[in-house]
Amino acid sequence: MGPSTPEAAVEHPEAVRQLHREFLRAGSDVMQAFTFYASDDKLQNRGYINSKTLTSKVINTAACAIAREVANEGGALVAGGVSQTPTYLSGKGKGFTQKEFQKQMSVFMENKVDFLIAEYFEHIEEAEWATEVCKATGLPVATTLCIGPDGDLHGVSTGECAVRLVKAGADIVGINCHFDPTTNLAAIRKMKTALDAAGLKVHLMTQPLAYHTPDVNKQGFIDLPEFPFSLEPRVCTRWEIQAYAREAYKMGVRYIGGCCGFEPYHIRAISEELAPERGFLPPGSEKHAPWGDGLRLHTKPWVRARARRSYWGNLKPASGRPFSASLSTSDSWGVTAGDQELEQKTDSTTDEELKSLFSHSENST
Amino acid sequence: MGPSTPEAAVEHPEAVRQLHREFLRAGSDVMQAFTFYASDDKLQNRGYINSKTLTSKVINTAACAIAREVANEGGALVAGGVSQTPTYLSGKGKGFTQKEFQKQMSVFMENKVDFLIAEYFEHIEEAEWATEVCKATGLPVATTLCIGPDGDLHGVSTGECAVRLVKAGADIVGINCHFDPTTNLAAIRKMKTALDAAGLKVHLMTQPLAYHTPDVNKQGFIDLPEFPFSLEPRVCTRWEIQAYAREAYKMGVRYIGGCCGFEPYHIRAISEELAPERGFLPPGSEKHAPWGDGLRLHTKPWVRARARRSYWGNLKPASGRPFSASLSTSDSWGVTAGDQELEQKTDSTTDEELKSLFSHSENST
Amino acid sequence: MGPSTPEAAVEHPEAVRQLHREFLRAGSDVMQAFTFYASDDKLQNRGYINSKTLTSKVINTAACAIAREVANEGGALVAGGVSQTPTYLSGKGKGFTQKEFQKQMSVFMENKVDFLIAEYFEHIEEAEWATEVCKATGLPVATTLCIGPDGDLHGVSTGECAVRLVKAGADIVGINCHFDPTTNLAAIRKMKTALDAAGLKVHLMTQPLAYHTPDVNKQGFIDLPEFPFSLEPRVCTRWEIQAYAREAYKMGVRYIGGCCGFEPYHIRAISEELAPERGFLPPGSEKHAPWGDGLRLHTKPWVRARARRSYWGNLKPASGRPFSASLSTSDSWGVTAGDQELEQKTDSTTDEELKSLFSHSENST
Amino acid sequence: MGPSTPEAAVEHPEAVRQLHREFLRAGSDVMQAFTFYASDDKLQNRGYINSKTLTSKVINTAACAIAREVANEGGALVAGGVSQTPTYLSGKGKGFTQKEFQKQMSVFMENKVDFLIAEYFEHIEEAEWATEVCKATGLPVATTLCIGPDGDLHGVSTGECAVRLVKAGADIVGINCHFDPTTNLAAIRKMKTALDAAGLKVHLMTQPLAYHTPDVNKQGFIDLPEFPFSLEPRVCTRWEIQAYAREAYKMGVRYIGGCCGFEPYHIRAISEELAPERGFLPPGSEKHAPWGDGLRLHTKPWVRARARRSYWGNLKPASGRPFSASLSTSDSWGVTAGDQELEQKTDSTTDEELKSLFSHSENST
């Protein structure tokens, strides 16, 4: 078993249900079924190869059922999602890659999801192929890439990527994961410019990390030395998320969410910032006063003095870590799709292979 | 309504249940009923004054039931808890203060908790009074203070506090909240030295924050400008928590837990670090390999190279916030128990009062 | 009186002489006469308006004499220099601007300088005018701009600037001041690319700050909140300067120097790094062993252990300032040449005017 | 050759003279002859062993002459100084140690210095011995130690050290080097308390580093990884030095100076801060307006807006180094006087010995 655990929908449904519910109460309009990386080829990579019970069909069916159950508690939509596949990365071509997506589609259609999300693509070609498969279902499709503002997907510019996705059938295009809100919005701006120039009218979608990543290179936060187990000091505050939501809204983005690192209170921050536009506050705000106003009741007067927007809006929070630097140097060994180093492995790395990686790692520091 | 929300046990039992369950699966041996600050006098302070349904009896009964239900899923103990009261802080004396504690005891006894925790005391006198009331039930009592290593509780040294708590009847003594693990253990060391010198044999207990607070003064993290809504960059990593658990164990502490900022994965880090001593891993470790070993399966080779203890154990994580300092200057207006500024308020601070606080705050910068 | 003090050559010749000598002993090949901002129009701005003794002629003659005297102690060249003028910034046109430069030329020719430097220009047009005036003397001319890699001088790209300077007559082109070594070299690279593309063969020159300025915007370090009286934490170490010298040399730069913040030991670091190429060490290295080797004699063994290149080359020096951020937000009120705000003033700012600036400043934070 | 270069007084008298002059013009009341570590035993350690011309007598005589010459330019006093000796550290006892001091005394008496400074002692015993030798000349004696506030000199408290120095004959006692101004003053406060308690009335003297060192342990800045070649980011600003001078003055200190890292402009900052008390500004302030007031004349309005005390007094300067931490972990291998590791060496460390140190160093990280 490895870093991805889609089987939770089967093994711990009450946990997945409660997680959905907390996002719903925080104001989410969409319950995205917990199907990330739950394609059969990925599950095989992760050691489920001989499993008869933990197939993508079983897992994704359970995930859709939970998402729908909770969505019904609050009038939210349900989305099914697909993402990049080992099949593509291993260079097996369009036919095999689209077949993986199609297998997932059939589950989503049976479970009557409201729309489809094709997300977390690092190659525009694979994103187009996924979009086509989604589009063929007749449902609305939102496609997002992992791409930065000055970066590109192997030679295709951020703006051009957006245009190609629309041409492939996407109703909503945008960016998810890999970068922080600021970097994400800078890239979205390039998409918007290119779409406007091409005369294409679609909605924009942002799902950045809730981690500050001003120091990442093109490949995103995965290359940060802190990924994935020491990212805590980079987590955004609720105020930083409110600023992001406002900025995204001003830019014309109307599908405003988050990716890794977002907890329910971050989504609630989006809902609160945009409450004037949405016309209501989410259930989860019932006991959460805006801009720290609940501190009026605090015992200590200097804490009561923090009950104001100008205080939290201007605070630059300290890390309490004087022995840490504020930025890191990204790892990157310069390999891309097709390289042998990136071929998907079905077995775990051996100790021998690891040793060679460790020594490579130390020399590259 | 204000910053404390004990009524969740009544209003959202499924959320409280799931939270308990995640801590249980992370390896917690104790389900502490969700009764913090749920004394009648505190509830009145928080605007529940006219409530017939949200009495401390109703809330604490619900909290005990949930704790017991989940404890039974994994053989954990259930603890009931009391903490400092507005009654004491407002100077109403021993009789009234102990009466508040007694009201809570009756609920705990009816619900057959396994032991009692008297925690979060900023005054040794009130902690003694609480310990006496707990002790009178016949159940084991664990009492913890909010106290730093060089700090003191209004003139009583850290070591002397420990001795007085044992004399008041505590079976376990220690420190909770207000300081980070490092600061907490430095204070525990002083307690241990004093207890040894006095020939007293009791167990020690640590429940530090999961926030780095090297920059706090005597009154703890409440005085940090980031409290309570911008503490994210200070959150400990799992590796930092493992180091804390090991250090506490070496020092002889046997009740090793956490306070504000601890999430289930932090508790799991304690369970994993002490797995050799406990003889087993918690259920929540089933899919969490030690020291990042799950990264062996990662797509990118430089991430696979992070699958080792020396990598995570030595990493100094960056904050991604180059415009923030690493430490903050604590607020502190120099007031203590008895001062008019600290008298408990039943109404929320008025706008007029707030204005005067804001201006005080700006001048004290 | 004001921030610039060229009159030191007249009033404290022994201090200027000793400063030149320390740079000479550090390995400088050029003694640049101490004539920065010593044009008549600038001196008038600085309150020397009624002075009969402190004219630009008197000051620059004294500066040339001292430079020549020290240059002769070590076989160095003497350069005379001109820089941007209030006349240009106030929009008085080519005739008046070139007249200011010509007045300075006559002093340089009388004093037989070896070549001319036209430096610190923020407008390509004025730099061209200065280059023409210098070129007319028949002496070699080195012209440098204050320009960053992605910045531009009011619409003219970094590369195009370099080409225009060569066409105006410059024998050496480059960049001085405003940015740190890293930023400076990134801009030099653009100049080199453009010059190569245009088939122009001239020498390149770099004179960056000795201050780290990763956080400045187009207008350079002047906009940093720390300018000019709190730049200490940004000062480069000798090792950082050695790295800069090596990188510049590799890039093909052959006039490698420094601007504000460079002290003699920084210049010595350049001389030591390039000693293999130059074939000798400077006199000032007689008692300065390379890479901390002198520490072999230190009393404490852990300090002796620092006597090696890998130690100093990899060290990331701490600031000792945990309450400071690592980066600053630049000031910038968005005004450029021609704006009323930038018109040169002959009187000091009045208290009334200052008050309005202070309030503008606080609102722009 | 080595890290200390007292022979400059002989080899480059014009450089030493100009340095004295700049401190004089910055407001120094004392020209301390450039004789630090110029005892015969130390010179032998540093490779001058066979020198007939570079004896301590020749060097110190030259140093005294230059100090007197410059002192006469501005009515300053001349001080001769002694400091800790290899003889003491190698355990040769009182007789041999005092003989080293006496050899230096004879030069000081011949050259008619005005008073004596015994400084930079890490052992109270050696400081007492030095004070006795100085006192025997009949001149006033100022003795300073390298000691921190919570530190001690091998078991003797900071306060007790002060008392012992007075009893040994010191007219002025204090602390020099090793710690930053803040740490230094905290230790001085302890000295003052102990002297007051003992009813001893002497003057206090402070000569801290101009480097921020909140992160050093008992042995001072030598243990910082940045010592001695990467201390730049720790250099104090003039404003920080003004704050130090004011605080020292308030505490009753009347000999207020600086040690390593102090440049003339830092001394000028002391003179300017205490100008109201001294009744005059130093010559070097003629063109240096207080609190950045000279910026009123700057071209850019946002720089003019920095011409005020509240701006510079509150600024927390950034380091421009986002990849550096703000604090360092001190080296310290736990050895003290008498240990073999600290025995003075007359030869430079061999390559073989260095290798073993490097490996020790890497393991201790």
Side-chain angles (χ1 to χ4, degrees):
Chain A
M1 263 115 345
S4 176
T5 54
E7 70 278 16
V10 175
E11 298 180 347
H12 298 285
E14 80 291 352
V16 176
R17 187 179 300 115
Q18 187 59 28
L19 191 60
H20 271 300
R21 187 175 287 131
E22 291 184 11
F23 280 110
L24 182 81
R25 289 179 42 77
S28 286
D29 291 319
V30 176
M31 294 293 104
Q32 183 171 348
F34 197 55
T35 65
F36 185 71
Y37 260 166
S39 60
D40 277 334
D41 59 345
K42 191 77 185 178
L43 291 169
Q44 280 172 21
N45 263 328
R46 290 294 173 267
Y48 302 93
I49 191 163
N50 297 315
S51 174
K52 284 181 187 159
T53 45
L54 289 178
T55 60
S56 75
K57 187 180 166 76
V58 168
I59 289 173
N60 292 348
T61 299
C64 287
I66 297 171
R68 176 62 70 195
E69 175 190 348
V70 181
N72 287 346
E73 294 175 14
L77 299 172
V78 171
V82 295
S83 48
Q84 69 177 6
T85 59
T87 301
Y88 176 80
L89 282 175
S90 301
K92 299 203 179 142
K94 186 167 183 175
F96 285 102
T97 303
Q98 290 198 328
K99 190 162 290 176
E100 285 300 321
F101 297 134
Q102 278 151 357
K103 281 195 278 183
Q104 296 171 77
M105 284 310 117
S106 62
V107 177
F108 295 142
M109 297 309 289
E110 278 169 32
N111 284 276
K112 300 195 167 55
V113 302
D114 298 303
F115 71 103
L116 294 165
I117 295 175
E119 69 176 354
Y120 198 77
F121 289 100
E122 297 179 292
H123 300 83
I124 179 65
E125 187 182 45
E126 190 185 13
E128 289 172 311
W129 297 349
T131 303
E132 289 167 15
V133 172
C134 290
K135 193 67 183 178
T137 64
L139 289 176
V141 182
T143 308
T144 55
L145 307 170
C146 299
I147 190 168
D150 303 321
D152 58 69
L153 289 182
H154 311 295
V156 188
S157 77
T158 305
E160 192 184 340
C161 282
V163 169
R164 282 177 57 172
L165 291 181
V166 176
K167 292 189 176 160
D171 302 290
I172 304 175
V173 299
I175 295 172
N176 83 311
C177 206
H178 277 207
F179 300 99
D180 64 19
T182 303
T183 312
N184 181 292
L185 289 182
I188 285 286
R189 200 181 295 275
K190 296 210 168 172
M191 285 194 161
K192 186 174 157 58
T193 302
L195 292 169
D196 286 351
L200 297 171
K201 282 195 194 279
V202 291
H203 274 300
L204 294 166
M205 173 170 179
T206 58
Q207 297 198 309
L209 304 174
Y211 304 117
H212 286 278
T213 64
D215 41 356
V216 300
N217 61 15
K218 289 187 185 178
Q219 307 209 37
F221 83 136
I222 287 167
D223 293 350
L224 285 176
E226 293 87 4
F227 176 87
F229 294 129
S230 290
L231 290 163
E232 283 84 347
R234 295 177 177 266
V235 174
C236 292
T237 66
R238 63 196 74 198
W239 322 114
E240 292 164 342
I241 295 302
Q242 287 197 223
Y244 145 68
R246 177 54 54 199
E247 183 68 14
Y249 191 87
K250 271 194 210 159
M251 206 184 280
V253 184
R254 289 297 175 269
Y255 195 127
I256 301 174
C259 199
C260 307
F262 267 76
E263 299 194 32
Y265 80 98
H266 288 114
I267 295 296
R268 184 178 61 188
I270 298 176
S271 304
E272 293 185 351
E273 178 64 31
L274 298 177
E277 284 77 12
R278 304 205 332 160
F280 60 92
L281 280 165
S285 293
E286 198 191 342
K287 300 188 182 184
H288 180 256
W291 293 106
D293 208 57
L295 296 174
R296 287 183 182 220
L297 272 162
H298 198 274
T299 315
K300 297 193 168 65
W302 51 96
V303 180
R304 290 202 290 278
R306 297 176 193 152
R308 55 194 155 125
R309 177 173 188 151
S310 64
Y311 182 86
W312 296 106
N314 293 320
L315 188 71
K316 301 269 185 215
S319 67
R321 288 172 156 93
F323 298 100
S324 286
S326 60
L327 300 183
S328 290
T329 305
S330 282
D331 281 343
S332 176
W333 298 355
V335 294
T336 49
D339 284 25
Q340 200 196 324
E341 297 229 49
L342 287 185
E343 268 188 38
Q344 290 291 311
K345 306 167 55 82
T346 48
D347 300 324
S348 180
T349 315
T350 66
D351 288 341
E352 202 58 30
E353 289 170 327
L354 269 187
K355 231 185 215 166
S356 124
L357 290 177
F358 294 165
S359 109
H360 185 157
S361 167
E362 263 139 29
N363 293 333
S364 76
T365 307
Chain B
M1 263 123 331
S4 175
T5 53
E7 70 277 16
V10 174
E11 299 180 347
H12 298 284
E14 81 291 351
V16 175
R17 186 179 301 115
Q18 186 60 26
L19 191 61
H20 271 300
R21 187 174 287 132
E22 292 184 10
F23 280 110
L24 182 80
R25 290 179 40 78
S28 287
D29 291 319
V30 176
M31 295 291 103
Q32 184 172 346
F34 197 55
T35 64
F36 184 71
Y37 261 167
S39 59
D40 277 335
D41 59 345
K42 191 76 185 178
L43 291 169
Q44 279 171 20
N45 263 329
R46 290 293 173 265
Y48 303 92
I49 192 163
N50 298 316
S51 172
K52 283 181 187 162
T53 46
L54 290 176
T55 61
S56 76
K57 187 179 168 74
V58 168
I59 289 173
N60 291 349
T61 299
C64 288
I66 296 172
R68 176 60 72 195
E69 175 190 347
V70 180
N72 287 347
E73 295 174 12
L77 299 172
V78 171
V82 296
S83 49
Q84 70 177 5
T85 58
T87 301
Y88 177 79
L89 282 175
S90 300
K92 298 202 179 145
K94 186 168 184 175
F96 284 103
T97 303
Q98 289 198 327
K99 190 162 291 176
E100 285 300 321
F101 297 134
Q102 280 152 354
K103 281 194 279 184
Q104 295 170 77
M105 284 310 116
S106 63
V107 176
F108 295 141
M109 297 308 290
E110 278 169 30
N111 284 276
K112 298 195 167 53
V113 302
D114 297 303
F115 70 103
L116 294 165
I117 295 174
E119 69 177 353
Y120 198 78
F121 288 100
E122 297 178 293
H123 300 83
I124 180 64
E125 188 182 45
E126 190 185 12
E128 290 173 310
W129 297 349
T131 302
E132 289 168 15
V133 173
C134 290
K135 193 67 182 178
T137 64
L139 290 175
V141 182
T143 308
T144 56
L145 308 170
C146 299
I147 191 170
D150 302 320
D152 59 68
L153 290 181
H154 310 296
V156 188
S157 76
T158 305
E160 192 184 341
C161 282
V163 170
R164 282 177 59 172
L165 290 181
V166 176
K167 293 189 175 158
D171 303 289
I172 304 174
V173 299
I175 295 172
N176 84 311
C177 206
H178 276 207
F179 300 99
D180 64 21
T182 303
T183 312
N184 181 292
L185 289 181
I188 285 286
R189 199 180 295 275
K190 296 211 166 171
M191 286 194 161
K192 185 173 157 60
T193 303
L195 291 169
D196 287 350
L200 297 171
K201 282 195 197 276
V202 291
H203 275 299
L204 294 166
M205 173 171 180
T206 55
Q207 297 199 309
L209 304 174
Y211 303 116
H212 287 279
T213 64
D215 42 354
V216 300
N217 61 14
K218 290 187 185 178
Q219 308 209 38
F221 83 136
I222 288 167
D223 294 350
L224 285 176
E226 292 88 4
F227 175 88
F229 294 129
S230 292
L231 290 163
E232 283 83 348
R234 295 176 177 266
V235 173
C236 291
T237 66
R238 65 196 73 199
W239 322 114
E240 292 165 342
I241 295 301
Q242 286 197 223
Y244 145 70
R246 177 54 55 198
E247 182 69 14
Y249 190 86
K250 272 194 209 159
M251 208 184 278
V253 184
R254 290 297 176 269
Y255 195 127
I256 301 173
C259 199
C260 307
F262 267 77
E263 299 193 33
Y265 81 99
H266 289 113
I267 294 296
R268 184 178 61 187
I270 297 175
S271 305
E272 293 186 351
E273 178 64 32
L274 298 176
E277 284 77 12
R278 306 207 328 163
F280 60 93
L281 280 165
S285 293
E286 198 190 342
K287 300 190 181 184
H288 181 255
W291 294 107
D293 207 56
L295 296 174
R296 287 183 182 221
L297 273 164
H298 199 274
T299 314
K300 297 193 167 66
W302 53 95
V303 179
R304 290 203 289 278
R306 297 175 194 153
R308 54 194 157 124
R309 178 173 186 150
S310 64
Y311 182 86
W312 295 107
N314 292 321
L315 188 71
K316 302 269 184 216
S319 66
R321 287 172 157 92
F323 299 99
S324 285
S326 61
L327 300 183
S328 290
T329 305
S330 283
D331 281 342
S332 178
W333 298 355
V335 294
T336 48
D339 283 25
Q340 198 195 326
E341 298 227 49
L342 288 185
E343 269 188 37
Q344 291 290 310
K345 306 167 56 86
T346 48
D347 300 322
S348 180
T349 316
T350 64
D351 289 340
E352 202 58 29
E353 289 170 328
L354 269 186
K355 232 186 216 167
S356 121
L357 291 176
F358 295 165
S359 108
H360 185 155
S361 168
E362 265 140 29
N363 293 333
S364 75
T365 309
Chain C
M1 267 141 303
S4 174
T5 53
E7 69 278 16
V10 174
E11 298 180 347
H12 298 285
E14 80 291 351
V16 175
R17 186 179 300 116
Q18 186 60 29
L19 191 60
H20 271 300
R21 187 175 287 131
E22 292 184 10
F23 280 110
L24 182 81
R25 288 178 44 78
S28 287
D29 291 318
V30 176
M31 294 292 103
Q32 184 172 348
F34 197 56
T35 65
F36 185 71
Y37 261 168
S39 59
D40 278 334
D41 59 346
K42 192 75 184 180
L43 291 169
Q44 279 171 22
N45 263 329
R46 289 296 173 263
Y48 301 92
I49 190 163
N50 298 315
S51 172
K52 283 181 187 159
T53 45
L54 290 177
T55 60
S56 76
K57 187 179 166 75
V58 167
I59 289 172
N60 291 350
T61 299
C64 288
I66 296 171
R68 176 61 71 195
E69 175 190 345
V70 180
N72 287 346
E73 294 175 14
L77 299 173
V78 171
V82 295
S83 50
Q84 70 177 5
T85 58
T87 301
Y88 177 80
L89 284 175
S90 300
K92 298 201 180 145
K94 186 167 183 175
F96 284 102
T97 303
Q98 289 199 327
K99 191 161 289 176
E100 284 300 321
F101 297 134
Q102 280 152 355
K103 281 195 278 184
Q104 296 171 77
M105 285 309 118
S106 62
V107 176
F108 294 142
M109 297 308 289
E110 277 169 32
N111 284 275
K112 299 193 167 55
V113 302
D114 296 305
F115 71 100
L116 294 166
I117 295 174
E119 70 178 353
Y120 199 77
F121 289 100
E122 297 178 293
H123 300 83
I124 179 64
E125 188 181 45
E126 190 185 12
E128 291 173 309
W129 297 349
T131 302
E132 289 167 15
V133 172
C134 290
K135 193 66 183 179
T137 64
L139 290 175
V141 183
T143 308
T144 56
L145 308 170
C146 299
I147 190 169
D150 303 320
D152 59 67
L153 290 182
H154 311 296
V156 188
S157 77
T158 304
E160 192 184 342
C161 282
V163 169
R164 282 176 59 171
L165 290 181
V166 175
K167 292 189 175 159
D171 302 289
I172 304 174
V173 299
I175 296 173
N176 82 311
C177 206
H178 277 207
F179 300 99
D180 65 19
T182 303
T183 313
N184 181 292
L185 289 182
I188 285 286
R189 201 180 294 275
K190 298 212 166 171
M191 284 194 162
K192 186 174 157 58
T193 302
L195 290 169
D196 287 351
L200 297 172
K201 281 194 196 277
V202 291
H203 275 298
L204 293 167
M205 174 170 178
T206 56
Q207 297 200 307
L209 303 174
Y211 303 116
H212 286 279
T213 63
D215 42 355
V216 300
N217 60 15
K218 290 189 185 175
Q219 308 210 36
F221 83 136
I222 287 167
D223 293 350
L224 286 175
E226 293 87 4
F227 175 87
F229 294 129
S230 291
L231 290 163
E232 283 83 349
R234 296 176 178 265
V235 174
C236 291
T237 66
R238 64 195 74 198
W239 323 114
E240 292 164 341
I241 294 302
Q242 287 196 223
Y244 145 69
R246 177 55 55 199
E247 182 69 14
Y249 189 87
K250 271 193 210 159
M251 207 184 278
V253 184
R254 289 298 177 267
Y255 193 126
I256 302 174
C259 199
C260 308
F262 267 76
E263 300 194 33
Y265 82 98
H266 289 113
I267 294 296
R268 184 177 62 189
I270 298 176
S271 304
E272 293 185 350
E273 178 65 30
L274 298 176
E277 284 77 11
R278 306 206 331 161
F280 60 93
L281 281 165
S285 292
E286 199 190 343
K287 300 189 181 185
H288 181 255
W291 293 105
D293 207 58
L295 296 174
R296 288 184 181 219
L297 273 163
H298 198 275
T299 314
K300 298 194 167 64
W302 52 95
V303 180
R304 290 203 289 278
R306 296 173 195 156
R308 54 193 158 126
R309 178 172 186 150
S310 64
Y311 182 86
W312 295 107
N314 293 321
L315 188 72
K316 301 268 185 218
S319 67
R321 288 172 157 92
F323 299 99
S324 286
S326 61
L327 300 183
S328 289
T329 306
S330 283
D331 281 342
S332 176
W333 297 355
V335 293
T336 48
D339 282 24
Q340 199 196 327
E341 296 229 50
L342 287 185
E343 271 188 34
Q344 291 289 309
K345 307 168 54 88
T346 47
D347 301 323
S348 180
T349 316
T350 66
D351 288 342
E352 203 57 30
E353 289 169 328
L354 270 186
K355 232 186 216 167
S356 125
L357 291 176
F358 296 165
S359 110
H360 185 155
S361 167
E362 264 139 29
N363 293 334
S364 75
T365 308
Chain D
M1 266 144 302
S4 174
T5 52
E7 70 278 15
V10 174
E11 298 179 347
H12 298 284
E14 81 291 352
V16 176
R17 186 179 301 117
Q18 187 59 27
L19 192 60
H20 271 300
R21 187 175 287 132
E22 291 184 11
F23 280 110
L24 181 81
R25 289 179 42 77
S28 287
D29 291 320
V30 176
M31 293 292 102
Q32 184 172 347
F34 197 55
T35 64
F36 184 72
Y37 260 167
S39 60
D40 277 335
D41 60 345
K42 192 75 185 179
L43 290 170
Q44 279 171 21
N45 263 328
R46 290 294 172 266
Y48 301 92
I49 191 164
N50 297 316
S51 173
K52 283 179 188 164
T53 45
L54 291 178
T55 60
S56 77
K57 187 180 165 75
V58 167
I59 290 172
N60 292 349
T61 299
C64 287
I66 296 171
R68 176 60 71 195
E69 176 190 346
V70 180
N72 287 347
E73 293 175 12
L77 299 173
V78 172
V82 296
S83 50
Q84 70 177 5
T85 59
T87 301
Y88 177 80
L89 282 175
S90 299
K92 299 202 180 142
K94 186 169 183 174
F96 285 101
T97 303
Q98 290 198 326
K99 190 161 290 175
E100 284 300 321
F101 296 135
Q102 280 151 356
K103 280 195 277 183
Q104 295 171 77
M105 285 308 118
S106 63
V107 177
F108 295 142
M109 297 309 288
E110 278 169 30
N111 284 276
K112 299 195 167 54
V113 303
D114 297 304
F115 72 102
L116 293 165
I117 295 174
E119 69 177 352
Y120 199 77
F121 289 100
E122 296 178 293
H123 300 84
I124 179 65
E125 188 182 44
E126 189 186 13
E128 291 172 311
W129 297 349
T131 303
E132 289 167 16
V133 172
C134 290
K135 193 67 183 179
T137 63
L139 290 177
V141 182
T143 308
T144 56
L145 307 170
C146 299
I147 191 169
D150 303 321
D152 59 67
L153 290 181
H154 311 295
V156 188
S157 77
T158 305
E160 192 184 341
C161 282
V163 169
R164 282 176 58 171
L165 291 181
V166 176
K167 291 189 175 159
D171 303 289
I172 303 174
V173 299
I175 294 171
N176 84 311
C177 207
H178 276 207
F179 300 99
D180 64 20
T182 303
T183 313
N184 181 290
L185 288 181
I188 284 285
R189 199 180 297 275
K190 296 211 168 170
M191 286 194 160
K192 185 174 157 59
T193 302
L195 291 170
D196 287 351
L200 297 172
K201 280 193 197 282
V202 291
H203 275 299
L204 294 166
M205 174 171 178
T206 56
Q207 297 199 306
L209 304 174
Y211 304 116
H212 286 278
T213 64
D215 41 356
V216 300
N217 62 13
K218 289 187 185 178
Q219 308 209 38
F221 83 136
I222 287 167
D223 293 350
L224 286 176
E226 293 88 3
F227 176 87
F229 293 129
S230 292
L231 290 162
E232 282 83 348
R234 295 176 177 266
V235 173
C236 292
T237 66
R238 64 197 73 198
W239 322 115
E240 291 164 342
I241 294 302
Q242 288 196 222
Y244 146 68
R246 176 56 53 199
E247 182 68 13
Y249 190 87
K250 272 195 209 158
M251 207 184 279
V253 184
R254 290 295 176 271
Y255 194 127
I256 301 173
C259 200
C260 307
F262 267 76
E263 299 193 33
Y265 81 98
H266 289 113
I267 294 297
R268 184 177 61 188
I270 299 176
S271 305
E272 293 185 350
E273 178 65 30
L274 298 176
E277 284 77 11
R278 307 207 328 162
F280 60 92
L281 280 165
S285 292
E286 198 190 342
K287 300 188 181 185
H288 182 256
W291 294 106
D293 207 57
L295 296 174
R296 287 183 181 219
L297 273 162
H298 198 275
T299 314
K300 297 193 169 64
W302 52 95
V303 180
R304 291 202 290 277
R306 297 175 193 153
R308 56 196 155 122
R309 179 173 185 149
S310 65
Y311 182 87
W312 296 107
N314 292 321
L315 188 71
K316 302 269 185 216
S319 67
R321 286 172 158 92
F323 299 98
S324 286
S326 61
L327 299 184
S328 288
T329 305
S330 283
D331 281 342
S332 176
W333 297 355
V335 295
T336 49
D339 283 26
Q340 199 196 328
E341 297 228 50
L342 287 185
E343 269 187 37
Q344 290 290 308
K345 307 167 54 85
T346 48
D347 300 324
S348 181
T349 316
T350 65
D351 288 341
E352 203 56 30
E353 289 170 328
L354 269 186
K355 234 186 216 166
S356 124
L357 291 176
F358 295 164
S359 111
H360 185 156
S361 167
E362 264 140 30
N363 294 333
S364 75
T365 307

